[in-house]
Amino acid sequence: MRWVRLVGYYVFTAGVLYLIFAYIGDFPARQSIVLAVVIAFLTRRLGQFARKPAQRFSPYYVTVRPNWPQLLTDFKLIDNREGWDVIEKSLEKLAPAEYSVVRDGLFFTTVQQSEDFQRTLIYWNSRRLFVSGVDLEEKVEPIKLERDKPVSRSRKYEVELFMRFGTRGYDLGIRVPEWWWNETKGSCPEPIIEDRHYPTGRVKLVLAIVPYREFDSYWEPVNRDTNDSTKWVQEINTRRDRERTKFDWTKVGHPDIPELSIDRPEYIEHKYFEVSHSAV
C-alpha cells in the first residue's frame, strides 16, 4: 500500500540521517532526531517538486448543448412539441447578452490540470468566473414544477441542468424535486444514476456520461518521439472511440471549410446532448 511505502521511506531515511548526525557529526541525540525527521520530509517534498511531468497539458474548451425537445418530453417536463415551441418563443424576449442555459447551453474551459487530477482550474465561460472543478448547475428557465398542498398555497419548484466530475467521466443530467420524480419516474426512461440528496429533497438524474478518454488528446507525452506521432494519435483515437461506443456517443461530422485556417472542434452526440470541444 502507498502509505506503508511512504512510512517506510521516512523511517529508513530519518534513521540513516540520525546515525550520520549522532555518530559522525557528534550532534546531541535530540537535535539529531529533529534534524533527521525535518530533512527526510524536505527531501521527499523537494523530490516531488523536482520530478518532471510525464505529460504536457493543453487547455481546451467544452460546450454542451442539450437536445431540449427530446429531454423535456421524455421526462414529462413538457407535454409535447408545442410546449417546446412556447419555450422557444419566450427565449426570443431575452437580450443577446443575457445568459440562458436553454438557449446557450453550458460552456467552460479547462485552463490547467495536474496529472493526478487533484489540481484543476476551470473557467466557467457562461458565468465568467473561475472554479476549481467541473461541478456546474444552471436553472432551466422557464420550467417550473408545481405541487399542490392542501394546507398551504401551491409552490413552484425549479429544474436544473448539471455537469459534474464522476467516477467514469463527466456526469450530465437534470436535478429535480424528489417528490416529483417519485410520482413521475414510472412513465420516464430509466436514468443511468439516481443520486438522491435527502436533506434538500432533490435528486440528480444522470442521463449521459462524457468519458474522460474523450479529452486524452489534450495530454501529450513530454518525451514522445516526433516520429511516433501517428501511432500516438491512433492509440488515443482507438481508446476514445471505444469509450464513445460504451457510453452511447457518436461522432458528428461537419463539412470542412478550407478557407478557415482553424482546427475544427470535435462533435459528439448523445440522445439528450451534443458536446463539442477543441484546444484553446
Side-chain angles (χ1 to χ4, degrees):
M1 296 176 64
R2 184 179 177 183
W3 70 268
V4 174
R5 294 196 300 270
L6 186 60
V7 171
Y9 166 82
Y10 283 125
V11 170
F12 175 78
T13 305
V16 172
L17 290 171
Y18 171 79
L19 293 176
I20 293 173
F21 292 136
Y23 293 98
I24 298 178
D26 200 25
F27 283 84
R30 180 177 297 178
Q31 189 174 0
S32 298
I33 293 172
V34 173
L35 286 172
V37 171
V38 171
I39 293 177
F41 175 78
L42 291 176
T43 302
R44 172 83 179 180
R45 297 300 294 174
L46 290 173
Q48 290 176 335
F49 288 127
R51 188 174 63 239
K52 293 183 178 180
Q55 299 184 88
R56 182 185 297 111
F57 173 78
S58 297
Y60 62 93
Y61 71 82
V62 179
T63 303
V64 179
R65 296 190 180 278
N67 179 1
W68 288 116
Q70 185 77 55
L71 191 159
L72 297 177
T73 303
D74 282 3
F75 285 86
K76 314 307 176 186
L77 295 167
I78 58 176
D79 294 330
N80 46 41
R81 179 69 198 206
E82 286 71 25
W84 170 245
D85 293 338
V86 172
I87 293 175
E88 276 195 310
K89 287 189 177 295
S90 71
L91 296 176
E92 295 174 1
K93 301 176 183 178
L94 293 176
E98 186 177 353
Y99 172 70
S100 165
V101 71
V102 177
R103 182 187 62 190
D104 306 315
L106 289 174
F107 181 25
F108 69 91
T109 302
T110 303
V111 180
Q112 188 54 267
Q113 200 166 57
S114 62
E115 288 185 86
D116 58 5
F117 288 82
Q118 296 300 310
R119 298 180 302 280
T120 302
L121 180 62
I122 302 293
Y123 182 65
W124 190 355
N125 301 67
S126 306
R127 290 298 177 183
R128 299 180 182 178
L129 54 85
F130 287 96
V131 293
S132 60
V134 177
D135 190 4
L136 316 178
E137 292 186 359
E138 291 288 358
K139 296 177 184 177
V140 182
E141 300 283 3
I143 299 293
K144 298 285 186 181
L145 301 173
E146 193 165 356
R147 185 181 193 184
D148 293 327
K149 294 185 177 181
V151 295
S152 64
R153 291 185 298 176
S154 64
R155 178 183 171 187
K156 293 184 177 180
Y157 294 79
E158 295 170 342
V159 176
E160 294 165 315
L161 176 73
F162 71 85
M163 185 174 188
R164 67 181 184 185
F165 277 120
T167 56
R168 296 171 290 175
Y170 293 113
D171 293 340
L172 272 171
I174 54 175
R175 187 166 80 150
V176 295
E178 187 178 22
W179 63 264
W180 178 87
W181 179 239
N182 290 337
E183 294 176 1
T184 314
K185 64 185 297 183
S187 57
C188 297
E190 184 178 356
I192 300 172
I193 300 171
E194 288 185 28
D195 184 8
R196 296 175 184 268
H197 189 242
Y198 294 103
T200 61
R202 302 179 73 79
V203 55
K204 285 185 175 180
L205 308 177
V206 177
L207 308 181
I209 296 174
V210 186
Y212 292 130
R213 289 294 189 189
E214 182 65 31
F215 310 103
D216 276 359
S217 60
Y218 306 113
W219 287 94
E220 181 180 1
V222 173
N223 298 319
R224 178 169 60 89
D225 188 343
T226 54
N227 297 324
D228 218 16
S229 295
T230 301
K231 181 180 178 181
W232 175 73
V233 172
Q234 288 175 343
E235 290 175 351
I236 284 179
N237 290 343
T238 298
R239 293 195 301 265
R240 182 194 61 194
D241 293 344
R242 184 167 56 242
E243 291 291 283
R244 286 177 177 177
T245 301
K246 178 180 177 180
F247 292 104
D248 298 321
W249 293 91
T250 56
K251 180 179 175 61
V252 180
H254 290 270
D256 291 329
I257 305 176
E259 293 78 9
L260 295 179
S261 58
I262 59 173
D263 293 332
R264 299 286 297 183
E266 283 283 340
Y267 287 87
I268 56 173
E269 191 175 52
H270 182 272
K271 182 179 181 180
Y272 296 123
F273 303 96
E274 181 184 79
V275 172
S276 61
H277 59 90
S278 181
V280 175

